[in-house]
Amino acid sequence: MVGVGLGIVLELEFTHVTLDRAREQSHAYDQWFPFVFGFLCGMVFGLAGALLIGPLFGLYFGLLSGIGLMAVYAFRLSPIDAYQPRVKPQLRPRELIASASRGSSTVLAGAIAALLVHNGNGALGFGLLFGVVAGTVSAIISVFSPFVEWWADNLPARRLGAFGTMILLVGLILQSVQYWVVLLNVVVQ
């Protein structure tokens, strides 16, 4: 559920910036817009904390991680700031620093929320683990997404079509596995 929520927030952020860049507006997205997305990500984190630990922990965790992400975004360390479409990607330390900053702010938010709620080691462990996972996933996405996007943009149309067809067939096969299991289980009995 958290992945879906973060995916939606990130997609909205990328769509907004991409549309502004397509209209060739320099720095067209408002200065407050990244803060909104940072706070929305924090709210998604809070929802996860509320479902797994408790509503009060989720409220504190969401607010604190939202505020922490807004502070990190104030230093222009949001995922959008590193986004450069149609440019051959390079591994830059700035993306890793941004990911570490976002993960650290989430770890700190989890630790503070756990101390405020006094929910024991479970909440503290969850906050710390969640922050480490968020930072790691953020680093992986920040590093590998530009390479995948550049590869897909520069792939010849014929190969891209063949790749898409293979993905479709693999998906159909994986979807049919559940029916094969039922069918083979009935035949065996």
Side-chain angles (χ1 to χ4, degrees), residues 85-111:
R86 297 179 188 84
V87 175
K88 186 167 183 172
Q90 299 173 353
L91 184 59
R92 292 182 290 272
R94 181 166 174 80
E95 282 84 11
L96 297 175
I97 291 170
S99 298
S101 300
R102 292 190 295 265
S104 298
S105 73
T106 308
V107 166
L108 185 62

mmCIF file with all atom_site columns, all heavy atoms in Angstrom, residues 85-111:
data_model
loop_
_atom_site.group_PDB
_atom_site.id
_atom_site.type_symbol
_atom_site.label_atom_id
_atom_site.label_alt_id
_atom_site.label_comp_id
_atom_site.label_asym_id
_atom_site.label_entity_id
_atom_site.label_seq_id
_atom_site.pdbx_PDB_ins_code
_atom_site.Cartn_x
_atom_site.Cartn_y
_atom_site.Cartn_z
_atom_site.occupancy
_atom_site.B_iso_or_equiv
_atom_site.pdbx_formal_charge
_atom_site.auth_seq_id
_atom_site.auth_comp_id
_atom_site.auth_asym_id
_atom_site.auth_atom_id
_atom_site.pdbx_PDB_model_num
ATOM 1   N N   . PRO A 1 85  ? 15.613 14.455 -18.257 1.00 0.00 ? 85  PRO A N   1
ATOM 2   C CA  . PRO A 1 85  ? 15.211 13.584 -19.368 1.00 0.00 ? 85  PRO A CA  1
ATOM 3   C C   . PRO A 1 85  ? 16.074 13.805 -20.603 1.00 0.00 ? 85  PRO A C   1
ATOM 4   O O   . PRO A 1 85  ? 16.596 14.896 -20.829 1.00 0.00 ? 85  PRO A O   1
ATOM 5   C CB  . PRO A 1 85  ? 13.757 13.984 -19.627 1.00 0.00 ? 85  PRO A CB  1
ATOM 6   C CG  . PRO A 1 85  ? 13.652 15.381 -19.115 1.00 0.00 ? 85  PRO A CG  1
ATOM 7   C CD  . PRO A 1 85  ? 14.640 15.481 -17.978 1.00 0.00 ? 85  PRO A CD  1
ATOM 8   N N   . ARG A 1 86  ? 16.240 12.753 -21.379 1.00 0.00 ? 86  ARG A N   1
ATOM 9   C CA  . ARG A 1 86  ? 16.946 12.765 -22.667 1.00 0.00 ? 86  ARG A CA  1
ATOM 10  C C   . ARG A 1 86  ? 18.423 13.135 -22.554 1.00 0.00 ? 86  ARG A C   1
ATOM 11  O O   . ARG A 1 86  ? 19.017 13.642 -23.483 1.00 0.00 ? 86  ARG A O   1
ATOM 12  C CB  . ARG A 1 86  ? 16.243 13.694 -23.645 1.00 0.00 ? 86  ARG A CB  1
ATOM 13  C CG  . ARG A 1 86  ? 14.848 13.229 -23.964 1.00 0.00 ? 86  ARG A CG  1
ATOM 14  C CD  . ARG A 1 86  ? 14.165 14.184 -24.923 1.00 0.00 ? 86  ARG A CD  1
ATOM 15  N NE  . ARG A 1 86  ? 12.782 13.846 -25.083 1.00 0.00 ? 86  ARG A NE  1
ATOM 16  C CZ  . ARG A 1 86  ? 11.805 14.228 -24.276 1.00 0.00 ? 86  ARG A CZ  1
ATOM 17  N NH1 . ARG A 1 86  ? 12.087 14.962 -23.226 1.00 0.00 ? 86  ARG A NH1 1
ATOM 18  N NH2 . ARG A 1 86  ? 10.556 13.888 -24.502 1.00 0.00 ? 86  ARG A NH2 1
ATOM 19  N N   . VAL A 1 87  ? 18.999 12.911 -21.398 1.00 0.00 ? 87  VAL A N   1
ATOM 20  C CA  . VAL A 1 87  ? 20.424 13.145 -21.191 1.00 0.00 ? 87  VAL A CA  1
ATOM 21  C C   . VAL A 1 87  ? 21.031 11.814 -20.779 1.00 0.00 ? 87  VAL A C   1
ATOM 22  O O   . VAL A 1 87  ? 20.466 11.103 -19.957 1.00 0.00 ? 87  VAL A O   1
ATOM 23  C CB  . VAL A 1 87  ? 20.660 14.202 -20.087 1.00 0.00 ? 87  VAL A CB  1
ATOM 24  C CG1 . VAL A 1 87  ? 22.137 14.348 -19.794 1.00 0.00 ? 87  VAL A CG1 1
ATOM 25  C CG2 . VAL A 1 87  ? 20.057 15.532 -20.483 1.00 0.00 ? 87  VAL A CG2 1
ATOM 26  N N   . LYS A 1 88  ? 22.180 11.474 -21.372 1.00 0.00 ? 88  LYS A N   1
ATOM 27  C CA  . LYS A 1 88  ? 22.817 10.220 -20.998 1.00 0.00 ? 88  LYS A CA  1
ATOM 28  C C   . LYS A 1 88  ? 23.151 10.262 -19.509 1.00 0.00 ? 88  LYS A C   1
ATOM 29  O O   . LYS A 1 88  ? 23.821 11.173 -19.035 1.00 0.00 ? 88  LYS A O   1
ATOM 30  C CB  . LYS A 1 88  ? 24.076 9.978  -21.811 1.00 0.00 ? 88  LYS A CB  1
ATOM 31  C CG  . LYS A 1 88  ? 24.669 8.617  -21.533 1.00 0.00 ? 88  LYS A CG  1
ATOM 32  C CD  . LYS A 1 88  ? 25.714 8.234  -22.515 1.00 0.00 ? 88  LYS A CD  1
ATOM 33  C CE  . LYS A 1 88  ? 26.180 6.822  -22.167 1.00 0.00 ? 88  LYS A CE  1
ATOM 34  N NZ  . LYS A 1 88  ? 27.058 6.290  -23.159 1.00 0.00 ? 88  LYS A NZ  1
ATOM 35  N N   . PRO A 1 89  ? 22.655 9.278  -18.769 1.00 0.00 ? 89  PRO A N   1
ATOM 36  C CA  . PRO A 1 89  ? 22.822 9.333  -17.314 1.00 0.00 ? 89  PRO A CA  1
ATOM 37  C C   . PRO A 1 89  ? 24.260 9.077  -16.869 1.00 0.00 ? 89  PRO A C   1
ATOM 38  O O   . PRO A 1 89  ? 25.021 8.389  -17.533 1.00 0.00 ? 89  PRO A O   1
ATOM 39  C CB  . PRO A 1 89  ? 21.893 8.223  -16.814 1.00 0.00 ? 89  PRO A CB  1
ATOM 40  C CG  . PRO A 1 89  ? 21.748 7.301  -17.961 1.00 0.00 ? 89  PRO A CG  1
ATOM 41  C CD  . PRO A 1 89  ? 21.897 8.119  -19.202 1.00 0.00 ? 89  PRO A CD  1
ATOM 42  N N   . GLN A 1 90  ? 24.562 9.660  -15.747 1.00 0.00 ? 90  GLN A N   1
ATOM 43  C CA  . GLN A 1 90  ? 25.850 9.452  -15.100 1.00 0.00 ? 90  GLN A CA  1
ATOM 44  C C   . GLN A 1 90  ? 25.582 9.229  -13.619 1.00 0.00 ? 90  GLN A C   1
ATOM 45  O O   . GLN A 1 90  ? 24.619 9.749  -13.070 1.00 0.00 ? 90  GLN A O   1
ATOM 46  C CB  . GLN A 1 90  ? 26.735 10.682 -15.261 1.00 0.00 ? 90  GLN A CB  1
ATOM 47  C CG  . GLN A 1 90  ? 27.047 11.033 -16.685 1.00 0.00 ? 90  GLN A CG  1
ATOM 48  C CD  . GLN A 1 90  ? 27.785 12.362 -16.761 1.00 0.00 ? 90  GLN A CD  1
ATOM 49  O OE1 . GLN A 1 90  ? 27.951 13.061 -15.774 1.00 0.00 ? 90  GLN A OE1 1
ATOM 50  N NE2 . GLN A 1 90  ? 28.232 12.702 -17.953 1.00 0.00 ? 90  GLN A NE2 1
ATOM 51  N N   . LEU A 1 91  ? 26.426 8.453  -12.997 1.00 0.00 ? 91  LEU A N   1
ATOM 52  C CA  . LEU A 1 91  ? 26.303 8.243  -11.567 1.00 0.00 ? 91  LEU A CA  1
ATOM 53  C C   . LEU A 1 91  ? 26.919 9.448  -10.868 1.00 0.00 ? 91  LEU A C   1
ATOM 54  O O   . LEU A 1 91  ? 28.127 9.668  -10.910 1.00 0.00 ? 91  LEU A O   1
ATOM 55  C CB  . LEU A 1 91  ? 27.007 6.954  -11.157 1.00 0.00 ? 91  LEU A CB  1
ATOM 56  C CG  . LEU A 1 91  ? 26.877 6.560  -9.695  1.00 0.00 ? 91  LEU A CG  1
ATOM 57  C CD1 . LEU A 1 91  ? 25.411 6.388  -9.324  1.00 0.00 ? 91  LEU A CD1 1
ATOM 58  C CD2 . LEU A 1 91  ? 27.631 5.286  -9.438  1.00 0.00 ? 91  LEU A CD2 1
ATOM 59  N N   . ARG A 1 92  ? 26.062 10.243 -10.240 1.00 0.00 ? 92  ARG A N   1
ATOM 60  C CA  . ARG A 1 92  ? 26.513 11.462 -9.566  1.00 0.00 ? 92  ARG A CA  1
ATOM 61  C C   . ARG A 1 92  ? 26.330 11.309 -8.058  1.00 0.00 ? 92  ARG A C   1
ATOM 62  O O   . ARG A 1 92  ? 25.321 10.779 -7.596  1.00 0.00 ? 92  ARG A O   1
ATOM 63  C CB  . ARG A 1 92  ? 25.722 12.658 -10.082 1.00 0.00 ? 92  ARG A CB  1
ATOM 64  C CG  . ARG A 1 92  ? 26.024 12.990 -11.537 1.00 0.00 ? 92  ARG A CG  1
ATOM 65  C CD  . ARG A 1 92  ? 25.247 14.214 -11.987 1.00 0.00 ? 92  ARG A CD  1
ATOM 66  N NE  . ARG A 1 92  ? 23.823 13.951 -12.110 1.00 0.00 ? 92  ARG A NE  1
ATOM 67  C CZ  . ARG A 1 92  ? 23.237 13.493 -13.215 1.00 0.00 ? 92  ARG A CZ  1
ATOM 68  N NH1 . ARG A 1 92  ? 23.964 13.262 -14.274 1.00 0.00 ? 92  ARG A NH1 1
ATOM 69  N NH2 . ARG A 1 92  ? 21.941 13.296 -13.258 1.00 0.00 ? 92  ARG A NH2 1
ATOM 70  N N   . PRO A 1 93  ? 27.264 11.798 -7.303  1.00 0.00 ? 93  PRO A N   1
ATOM 71  C CA  . PRO A 1 93  ? 27.169 11.688 -5.842  1.00 0.00 ? 93  PRO A CA  1
ATOM 72  C C   . PRO A 1 93  ? 25.978 12.450 -5.261  1.00 0.00 ? 93  PRO A C   1
ATOM 73  O O   . PRO A 1 93  ? 25.472 12.099 -4.217  1.00 0.00 ? 93  PRO A O   1
ATOM 74  C CB  . PRO A 1 93  ? 28.479 12.285 -5.339  1.00 0.00 ? 93  PRO A CB  1
ATOM 75  C CG  . PRO A 1 93  ? 29.380 12.365 -6.499  1.00 0.00 ? 93  PRO A CG  1
ATOM 76  C CD  . PRO A 1 93  ? 28.540 12.344 -7.736  1.00 0.00 ? 93  PRO A CD  1
ATOM 77  N N   . ARG A 1 94  ? 25.514 13.477 -5.962  1.00 0.00 ? 94  ARG A N   1
ATOM 78  C CA  . ARG A 1 94  ? 24.394 14.281 -5.445  1.00 0.00 ? 94  ARG A CA  1
ATOM 79  C C   . ARG A 1 94  ? 23.138 13.430 -5.224  1.00 0.00 ? 94  ARG A C   1
ATOM 80  O O   . ARG A 1 94  ? 22.431 13.623 -4.242  1.00 0.00 ? 94  ARG A O   1
ATOM 81  C CB  . ARG A 1 94  ? 24.100 15.439 -6.381  1.00 0.00 ? 94  ARG A CB  1
ATOM 82  C CG  . ARG A 1 94  ? 22.965 16.320 -5.894  1.00 0.00 ? 94  ARG A CG  1
ATOM 83  C CD  . ARG A 1 94  ? 22.909 17.627 -6.655  1.00 0.00 ? 94  ARG A CD  1
ATOM 84  N NE  . ARG A 1 94  ? 21.763 18.415 -6.309  1.00 0.00 ? 94  ARG A NE  1
ATOM 85  C CZ  . ARG A 1 94  ? 21.644 19.180 -5.244  1.00 0.00 ? 94  ARG A CZ  1
ATOM 86  N NH1 . ARG A 1 94  ? 22.648 19.237 -4.389  1.00 0.00 ? 94  ARG A NH1 1
ATOM 87  N NH2 . ARG A 1 94  ? 20.561 19.888 -5.016  1.00 0.00 ? 94  ARG A NH2 1
ATOM 88  N N   . GLU A 1 95  ? 22.871 12.486 -6.137  1.00 0.00 ? 95  GLU A N   1
ATOM 89  C CA  . GLU A 1 95  ? 21.694 11.633 -5.977  1.00 0.00 ? 95  GLU A CA  1
ATOM 90  C C   . GLU A 1 95  ? 21.825 10.731 -4.750  1.00 0.00 ? 95  GLU A C   1
ATOM 91  O O   . GLU A 1 95  ? 20.856 10.483 -4.040  1.00 0.00 ? 95  GLU A O   1
ATOM 92  C CB  . GLU A 1 95  ? 21.442 10.785 -7.225  1.00 0.00 ? 95  GLU A CB  1
ATOM 93  C CG  . GLU A 1 95  ? 20.798 11.548 -8.363  1.00 0.00 ? 95  GLU A CG  1
ATOM 94  C CD  . GLU A 1 95  ? 21.805 12.308 -9.199  1.00 0.00 ? 95  GLU A CD  1
ATOM 95  O OE1 . GLU A 1 95  ? 23.030 12.089 -9.033  1.00 0.00 ? 95  GLU A OE1 1
ATOM 96  O OE2 . GLU A 1 95  ? 21.382 13.125 -10.020 1.00 0.00 ? 95  GLU A OE2 1
ATOM 97  N N   . LEU A 1 96  ? 23.036 10.246 -4.502  1.00 0.00 ? 96  LEU A N   1
ATOM 98  C CA  . LEU A 1 96  ? 23.254 9.409  -3.324  1.00 0.00 ? 96  LEU A CA  1
ATOM 99  C C   . LEU A 1 96  ? 23.143 10.222 -2.032  1.00 0.00 ? 96  LEU A C   1
ATOM 100 O O   . LEU A 1 96  ? 22.589 9.748  -1.036  1.00 0.00 ? 96  LEU A O   1
ATOM 101 C CB  . LEU A 1 96  ? 24.612 8.718  -3.414  1.00 0.00 ? 96  LEU A CB  1
ATOM 102 C CG  . LEU A 1 96  ? 24.767 7.747  -4.595  1.00 0.00 ? 96  LEU A CG  1
ATOM 103 C CD1 . LEU A 1 96  ? 26.182 7.210  -4.656  1.00 0.00 ? 96  LEU A CD1 1
ATOM 104 C CD2 . LEU A 1 96  ? 23.758 6.625  -4.506  1.00 0.00 ? 96  LEU A CD2 1
ATOM 105 N N   . ILE A 1 97  ? 23.650 11.445 -2.059  1.00 0.00 ? 97  ILE A N   1
ATOM 106 C CA  . ILE A 1 97  ? 23.527 12.325 -0.893  1.00 0.00 ? 97  ILE A CA  1
ATOM 107 C C   . ILE A 1 97  ? 22.061 12.658 -0.651  1.00 0.00 ? 97  ILE A C   1
ATOM 108 O O   . ILE A 1 97  ? 21.596 12.653 0.497   1.00 0.00 ? 97  ILE A O   1
ATOM 109 C CB  . ILE A 1 97  ? 24.366 13.608 -1.094  1.00 0.00 ? 97  ILE A CB  1
ATOM 110 C CG1 . ILE A 1 97  ? 25.853 13.268 -1.068  1.00 0.00 ? 97  ILE A CG1 1
ATOM 111 C CG2 . ILE A 1 97  ? 24.014 14.657 -0.048  1.00 0.00 ? 97  ILE A CG2 1
ATOM 112 C CD1 . ILE A 1 97  ? 26.763 14.394 -1.490  1.00 0.00 ? 97  ILE A CD1 1
ATOM 113 N N   . ALA A 1 98  ? 21.310 12.920 -1.718  1.00 0.00 ? 98  ALA A N   1
ATOM 114 C CA  . ALA A 1 98  ? 19.880 13.219 -1.581  1.00 0.00 ? 98  ALA A CA  1
ATOM 115 C C   . ALA A 1 98  ? 19.134 12.025 -1.002  1.00 0.00 ? 98  ALA A C   1
ATOM 116 O O   . ALA A 1 98  ? 18.287 12.182 -0.109  1.00 0.00 ? 98  ALA A O   1
ATOM 117 C CB  . ALA A 1 98  ? 19.298 13.614 -2.938  1.00 0.00 ? 98  ALA A CB  1
ATOM 118 N N   . SER A 1 99  ? 19.443 10.838 -1.479  1.00 0.00 ? 99  SER A N   1
ATOM 119 C CA  . SER A 1 99  ? 18.788 9.629  -0.962  1.00 0.00 ? 99  SER A CA  1
ATOM 120 C C   . SER A 1 99  ? 19.132 9.398  0.504   1.00 0.00 ? 99  SER A C   1
ATOM 121 O O   . SER A 1 99  ? 18.257 9.050  1.312   1.00 0.00 ? 99  SER A O   1
ATOM 122 C CB  . SER A 1 99  ? 19.200 8.418  -1.776  1.00 0.00 ? 99  SER A CB  1
ATOM 123 O OG  . SER A 1 99  ? 18.796 8.559  -3.108  1.00 0.00 ? 99  SER A OG  1
ATOM 124 N N   . ALA A 1 100 ? 20.389 9.593  0.846   1.00 0.00 ? 100 ALA A N   1
ATOM 125 C CA  . ALA A 1 100 ? 20.805 9.430  2.247   1.00 0.00 ? 100 ALA A CA  1
ATOM 126 C C   . ALA A 1 100 ? 20.117 10.468 3.135   1.00 0.00 ? 100 ALA A C   1
ATOM 127 O O   . ALA A 1 100 ? 19.709 10.151 4.264   1.00 0.00 ? 100 ALA A O   1
ATOM 128 C CB  . ALA A 1 100 ? 22.318 9.550  2.367   1.00 0.00 ? 100 ALA A CB  1
ATOM 129 N N   . SER A 1 101 ? 19.950 11.667 2.638   1.00 0.00 ? 101 SER A N   1
ATOM 130 C CA  . SER A 1 101 ? 19.280 12.713 3.412   1.00 0.00 ? 101 SER A CA  1
ATOM 131 C C   . SER A 1 101 ? 17.809 12.384 3.619   1.00 0.00 ? 101 SER A C   1
ATOM 132 O O   . SER A 1 101 ? 17.281 12.546 4.729   1.00 0.00 ? 101 SER A O   1
ATOM 133 C CB  . SER A 1 101 ? 19.405 14.065 2.705   1.00 0.00 ? 101 SER A CB  1
ATOM 134 O OG  . SER A 1 101 ? 20.742 14.426 2.553   1.00 0.00 ? 101 SER A OG  1
ATOM 135 N N   . ARG A 1 102 ? 17.146 11.909 2.566   1.00 0.00 ? 102 ARG A N   1
ATOM 136 C CA  . ARG A 1 102 ? 15.733 11.547 2.700   1.00 0.00 ? 102 ARG A CA  1
ATOM 137 C C   . ARG A 1 102 ? 15.574 10.366 3.651   1.00 0.00 ? 102 ARG A C   1
ATOM 138 O O   . ARG A 1 102 ? 14.670 10.345 4.494   1.00 0.00 ? 102 ARG A O   1
ATOM 139 C CB  . ARG A 1 102 ? 15.140 11.231 1.331   1.00 0.00 ? 102 ARG A CB  1
ATOM 140 C CG  . ARG A 1 102 ? 15.031 12.458 0.435   1.00 0.00 ? 102 ARG A CG  1
ATOM 141 C CD  . ARG A 1 102 ? 14.224 12.183 -0.822  1.00 0.00 ? 102 ARG A CD  1
ATOM 142 N NE  . ARG A 1 102 ? 14.836 11.214 -1.711  1.00 0.00 ? 102 ARG A NE  1
ATOM 143 C CZ  . ARG A 1 102 ? 15.613 11.515 -2.754  1.00 0.00 ? 102 ARG A CZ  1
ATOM 144 N NH1 . ARG A 1 102 ? 15.881 12.767 -3.030  1.00 0.00 ? 102 ARG A NH1 1
ATOM 145 N NH2 . ARG A 1 102 ? 16.095 10.563 -3.524  1.00 0.00 ? 102 ARG A NH2 1
ATOM 146 N N   . GLY A 1 103 ? 16.447 9.378  3.549   1.00 0.00 ? 103 GLY A N   1
ATOM 147 C CA  . GLY A 1 103 ? 16.387 8.232  4.457   1.00 0.00 ? 103 GLY A CA  1
ATOM 148 C C   . GLY A 1 103 ? 16.684 8.631  5.891   1.00 0.00 ? 103 GLY A C   1
ATOM 149 O O   . GLY A 1 103 ? 16.014 8.171  6.830   1.00 0.00 ? 103 GLY A O   1
ATOM 150 N N   . SER A 1 104 ? 17.670 9.500  6.094   1.00 0.00 ? 104 SER A N   1
ATOM 151 C CA  . SER A 1 104 ? 18.030 9.938  7.446   1.00 0.00 ? 104 SER A CA  1
ATOM 152 C C   . SER A 1 104 ? 16.900 10.714 8.101   1.00 0.00 ? 104 SER A C   1
ATOM 153 O O   . SER A 1 104 ? 16.627 10.547 9.294   1.00 0.00 ? 104 SER A O   1
ATOM 154 C CB  . SER A 1 104 ? 19.282 10.805 7.416   1.00 0.00 ? 104 SER A CB  1
ATOM 155 O OG  . SER A 1 104 ? 20.366 10.075 6.915   1.00 0.00 ? 104 SER A OG  1
ATOM 156 N N   . SER A 1 105 ? 16.235 11.559 7.322   1.00 0.00 ? 105 SER A N   1
ATOM 157 C CA  . SER A 1 105 ? 15.111 12.316 7.893   1.00 0.00 ? 105 SER A CA  1
ATOM 158 C C   . SER A 1 105 ? 13.973 11.376 8.285   1.00 0.00 ? 105 SER A C   1
ATOM 159 O O   . SER A 1 105 ? 13.313 11.582 9.306   1.00 0.00 ? 105 SER A O   1
ATOM 160 C CB  . SER A 1 105 ? 14.621 13.383 6.913   1.00 0.00 ? 105 SER A CB  1
ATOM 161 O OG  . SER A 1 105 ? 13.924 12.800 5.835   1.00 0.00 ? 105 SER A OG  1
ATOM 162 N N   . THR A 1 106 ? 13.768 10.317 7.526   1.00 0.00 ? 106 THR A N   1
ATOM 163 C CA  . THR A 1 106 ? 12.715 9.354  7.853   1.00 0.00 ? 106 THR A CA  1
ATOM 164 C C   . THR A 1 106 ? 13.105 8.523  9.074   1.00 0.00 ? 106 THR A C   1
ATOM 165 O O   . THR A 1 106 ? 12.263 8.238  9.930   1.00 0.00 ? 106 THR A O   1
ATOM 166 C CB  . THR A 1 106 ? 12.429 8.445  6.649   1.00 0.00 ? 106 THR A CB  1
ATOM 167 O OG1 . THR A 1 106 ? 12.195 9.261  5.494   1.00 0.00 ? 106 THR A OG1 1
ATOM 168 C CG2 . THR A 1 106 ? 11.214 7.601  6.874   1.00 0.00 ? 106 THR A CG2 1
ATOM 169 N N   . VAL A 1 107 ? 14.372 8.144  9.194   1.00 0.00 ? 107 VAL A N   1
ATOM 170 C CA  . VAL A 1 107 ? 14.849 7.423  10.384  1.00 0.00 ? 107 VAL A CA  1
ATOM 171 C C   . VAL A 1 107 ? 14.659 8.287  11.626  1.00 0.00 ? 107 VAL A C   1
ATOM 172 O O   . VAL A 1 107 ? 14.159 7.823  12.655  1.00 0.00 ? 107 VAL A O   1
ATOM 173 C CB  . VAL A 1 107 ? 16.334 7.017  10.223  1.00 0.00 ? 107 VAL A CB  1
ATOM 174 C CG1 . VAL A 1 107 ? 16.931 6.584  11.549  1.00 0.00 ? 107 VAL A CG1 1
ATOM 175 C CG2 . VAL A 1 107 ? 16.482 5.908  9.209   1.00 0.00 ? 107 VAL A CG2 1
ATOM 176 N N   . LEU A 1 108 ? 15.046 9.541  11.527  1.00 0.00 ? 108 LEU A N   1
ATOM 177 C CA  . LEU A 1 108 ? 14.903 10.452 12.662  1.00 0.00 ? 108 LEU A CA  1
ATOM 178 C C   . LEU A 1 108 ? 13.434 10.632 13.041  1.00 0.00 ? 108 LEU A C   1
ATOM 179 O O   . LEU A 1 108 ? 13.084 10.631 14.223  1.00 0.00 ? 108 LEU A O   1
ATOM 180 C CB  . LEU A 1 108 ? 15.552 11.798 12.322  1.00 0.00 ? 108 LEU A CB  1
ATOM 181 C CG  . LEU A 1 108 ? 15.604 12.826 13.440  1.00 0.00 ? 108 LEU A CG  1
ATOM 182 C CD1 . LEU A 1 108 ? 16.436 12.287 14.603  1.00 0.00 ? 108 LEU A CD1 1
ATOM 183 C CD2 . LEU A 1 108 ? 16.187 14.130 12.923  1.00 0.00 ? 108 LEU A CD2 1
ATOM 184 N N   . ALA A 1 109 ? 12.568 10.760 12.036  1.00 0.00 ? 109 ALA A N   1
ATOM 185 C CA  . ALA A 1 109 ? 11.133 10.904 12.304  1.00 0.00 ? 109 ALA A CA  1
ATOM 186 C C   . ALA A 1 109 ? 10.589 9.663  13.003  1.00 0.00 ? 109 ALA A C   1
ATOM 187 O O   . ALA A 1 109 ? 9.782  9.771  13.936  1.00 0.00 ? 109 ALA A O   1
ATOM 188 C CB  . ALA A 1 109 ? 10.376 11.146 10.996  1.00 0.00 ? 109 ALA A CB  1
ATOM 189 N N   . GLY A 1 110 ? 11.008 8.496  12.562  1.00 0.00 ? 110 GLY A N   1
ATOM 190 C CA  . GLY A 1 110 ? 10.558 7.257  13.204  1.00 0.00 ? 110 GLY A CA  1
ATOM 191 C C   . GLY A 1 110 ? 11.027 7.152  14.643  1.00 0.00 ? 110 GLY A C   1
ATOM 192 O O   . GLY A 1 110 ? 10.273 6.726  15.526  1.00 0.00 ? 110 GLY A O   1
ATOM 193 N N   . ALA A 1 111 ? 12.268 7.534  14.892  1.00 0.00 ? 111 ALA A N   1
ATOM 194 C CA  . ALA A 1 111 ? 12.807 7.460  16.253  1.00 0.00 ? 111 ALA A CA  1
ATOM 195 C C   . ALA A 1 111 ? 12.083 8.442  17.174  1.00 0.00 ? 111 ALA A C   1
ATOM 196 O O   . ALA A 1 111 ? 11.706 8.092  18.304  1.00 0.00 ? 111 ALA A O   1
ATOM 197 C CB  . ALA A 1 111 ? 14.304 7.746  16.237  1.00 0.00 ? 111 ALA A CB  1
#
